[in-house]
C-alpha cells in the first residue's frame, strides 16, 4: 500500500491504492506512519516527497471501512488519535522539508495531509475537497490548524463550513498550494523541488520549521528568544561555517546537512 524510494537524499513516499483513490484504511495509515518515521530517522534522507498513485493524491478516509466500524458500533475506531494525529504531527515537526505532489483529488483527510506538508506542488487537475461537514463531521488531521495558517481564519471557516471544492487555480490564488503545473509535470517538479531542499542546510530548515510553528502561538518576545536560541545552534553547524567561508570566497556553498 506504500511505495518508499530514496533518490538523491529524497525519500519519496507514495500512497499506492489507486483503485480506491488512495483512500485511507487503518492498514494504509499504519504503513504511512511507519514510512514517515523511517524517513525522519534516516540521516541519509534530507527531504521527503509525499504523493499518490493513479488519478488521486488521497481521497481521505476509506468510507467502506468507516461504515463497517459504524455498523459494528466501533464509531471512529479511535483512528484520529491512533493514526491521523501522529501522522500529521510527524509531518509538521519533522526536522526535514516535506513536499506534497498533489497529482489529483485531495479530499477530507487527504487534503489535510497535503496542508500539513511544507510545500505543495499541484497538478492543474488537482482538486481539494474539504468534505468533513458534508458527512456530518468536524475537520481532522490538523485541517483546523493548518488551513487557517495558509489562508487566514475567515477563509478557512468558509472553506470548512461550506465544503465547496477548490480547483488548482483557486487553490493557488488563495495560497493553499505553492505552485501549479501541468499534470504530466507534477511529480517531476515536486521531485526537483525536494531535491533542491535535500541539497540545502537541513539543520537550518529544521530550525525554520520550529521557529514558524512556535511563533504562530507565542508572543513576539517569546519568538525573538527562540530565534536567538536557534541562531546560536545554527551558527555552530558545519553548514553555516562552510557557507560563510564560501560567501567570502565568492563561491557557491555546498551543504552537507550537518
Amino acid at each position: 500500500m506504500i511505495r518508499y524510494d530514496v533518490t538523491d537524499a529524497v525519500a519519496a513516499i507514495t500512497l499506492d491504492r489507486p483503485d480506491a483513490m488512495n483512500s485511507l484504511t487503518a492498514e494504509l495509515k499504519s504503513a504511512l506512519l511507519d514510512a514517515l518515521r523511517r524517513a525522519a530517522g534516516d540521516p541519509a534522507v534530507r527531504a521527503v516527497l509525499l504523493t499518490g498513485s493513479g488519478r488521486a493524491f488521497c481521497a481521505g478516509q476509506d468510507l467502506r471501512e468507516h461504515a463497517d466500524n459504524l455498523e459494528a458500533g466501533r464509531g471512529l475506531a479511535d483512528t484520529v488519535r491512533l493514526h491521523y494525529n501522529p501522522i500529521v504531527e510527524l509531518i509538521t515537526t519533522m526536522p526535514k522539508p516535506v513536499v506534497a505532489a498533489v497529482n489529483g483529488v485531495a479530499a477530507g483527510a487527504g487534503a489535510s495531509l497535503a496542508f500539513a506538508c511544507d510545500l505543495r506542488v499541484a497538478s492543474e487537475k488537482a482538486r481539494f475537497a474539504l468534505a468533513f461537514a458534508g458527512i456530518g463531521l468536524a475537520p481532522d488531521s490538523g485541517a483546523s490548524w493548518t488551513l487557517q495558517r495558509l489562508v487566514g481564519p475567515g477563509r478557512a471557516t468558509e472553506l470548512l463550513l461550506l465544503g465547496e471544492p477548490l480547483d488548482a487555480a483557486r487553490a493557488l490564488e488563495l495560497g493553499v498550494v505553492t505552485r501549479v503545473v501541468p499534470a504530466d509535470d507534477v511529480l517531476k517538479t515536486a521531485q526537483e523541488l525536494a531535491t533542491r531542499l535535500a541539497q540545502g542546510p537541513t539543520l537550518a530548515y529544521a530550525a525554520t520549521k520550529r521557529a514558524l510553528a512556535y511563533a504562530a502561538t507565542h508572543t513576539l518576545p517569546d519568538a525573538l528568544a527562540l530565534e536567538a536560541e536557534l541562531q546560536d545552534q545554527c551558527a555552530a553547524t558545519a553548514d553555516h561555517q562552510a557557507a560563510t567561508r564560501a560567501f567570502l570566497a565568492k563561491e557557491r556553498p555546498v551543504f552537507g546537512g550537518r
Side-chain angles (χ1 to χ4, degrees):
M1 291 189 173
I2 289 282
R3 296 204 310 268
Y4 185 97
D5 305 286
V6 178
T7 305
D8 296 329
V10 175
I13 299 173
T14 305
L15 306 178
D16 198 18
R17 292 187 72 214
D19 293 343
M21 297 180 70
N22 304 314
S23 58
L24 297 161
T25 61
E27 183 180 2
L28 177 52
K29 285 174 277 192
S30 293
L32 174 57
L33 185 56
D34 287 345
L36 289 166
R37 285 171 173 161
R38 179 179 173 185
D42 186 350
V45 170
R46 294 171 58 190
V48 176
L49 173 64
L50 180 62
T51 191
S53 62
R55 61 193 178 93
F57 176 75
C58 175
Q61 173 63 39
D62 184 294
L63 290 182
R64 291 184 183 277
E65 183 180 82
H66 177 61
D68 289 344
N69 285 331
L70 292 179
E71 185 70 22
R74 291 188 294 267
L76 296 174
D78 213 24
T79 191
V80 174
R81 294 181 183 86
L82 292 176
H83 300 121
Y84 289 125
N85 289 357
I87 287 169
V88 169
E89 216 173 320
L90 184 51
I91 291 172
T92 55
T93 62
M94 187 180 299
K96 304 168 185 183
V98 183
V99 177
V102 186
N103 50 306
V105 172
S112 299
L113 290 181
F115 299 157
C117 296
D118 299 305
L119 300 172
R120 286 153 297 282
V121 178
S123 157
E124 290 176 335
K125 297 180 179 179
R127 288 201 332 155
F128 294 87
L130 297 167
F132 300 104
I135 55 172
L137 289 175
D140 63 27
S141 306
S144 64
W145 194 91
T146 55
L147 185 58
Q148 64 177 309
R149 283 162 174 76
L150 292 172
V151 303
R155 187 68 74 185
T157 302
E158 175 188 347
L159 293 172
L160 289 168
L161 291 183
L162 299 181
E164 295 173 352
L166 290 175
D167 62 19
R170 181 63 171 155
L172 181 63
E173 179 184 344
L174 293 178
V176 171
V177 298
T178 310
R179 62 184 69 171
V180 174
V181 298
D184 291 342
D185 295 337
V186 64
L187 191 55
K188 176 187 173 186
T189 303
Q191 181 73 42
E192 289 173 347
L193 184 56
T195 300
R196 173 182 169 185
L197 291 166
Q199 295 171 349
T202 310
L203 298 178
Y205 291 152
T208 299
K209 290 181 65 168
R210 184 180 167 195
L212 286 168
Y214 185 86
T217 56
H218 288 76
T219 64
L220 176 59
D222 286 343
L224 291 172
L226 181 63
E227 285 182 353
E229 177 185 333
L230 294 172
Q231 285 292 58
D232 284 342
Q233 294 173 11
C234 289
T237 64
D239 275 346
H240 171 68
Q241 293 169 28
T244 301
R245 290 193 296 269
F247 178 83
L248 294 175
K250 296 182 171 25
E251 296 173 351
R252 185 174 180 176
V254 176
F255 297 106
R258 300 182 298 278

